[in-house]
Amino acid sequence: MKKSIVCEGVETEVIADFLKNEGCNEIQGFLYYRPMSIEYFETVMHMQKAI
């Protein structure tokens, strides 16, 4: 079907590893970042660009 799969709500490495092995294309959830203000989000994004 050539669809991209996004899995939300991932909270542990075990779940993330399982989803990666099952072919999930994108993973998001508390494992990677907690909810944050827009100001902090912008700071994180600027830091990512600098890497």
Side-chain angles (χ1 to χ4, degrees), residues 5-39:
I5 299 171
V6 178
C7 296
E8 299 181 3
V10 178
E11 297 183 9
T12 67
E13 285 288 340
V14 172
I15 295 170
D17 290 340
F18 171 79
L19 293 170
K20 290 175 194 174
N21 289 332
E22 292 297 312
C24 183
N25 303 100
E26 302 282 337
I27 299 172
Q28 63 185 41
F30 284 170
L31 176 62
Y32 302 104
Y33 284 105
R34 299 285 182 193
M36 63 185 79
S37 67
I38 187 67
E39 293 83 9

Side-chain angles (χ1 to χ4, degrees), residues 33 39-51:
Y33 284 105
E39 293 83 9
Y40 185 70
F41 174 77
E42 290 172 346
T43 300
V44 170
M45 292 298 105
H46 288 306
M47 289 174 16
Q48 291 292 325
K49 288 182 182 178
I51 295 177

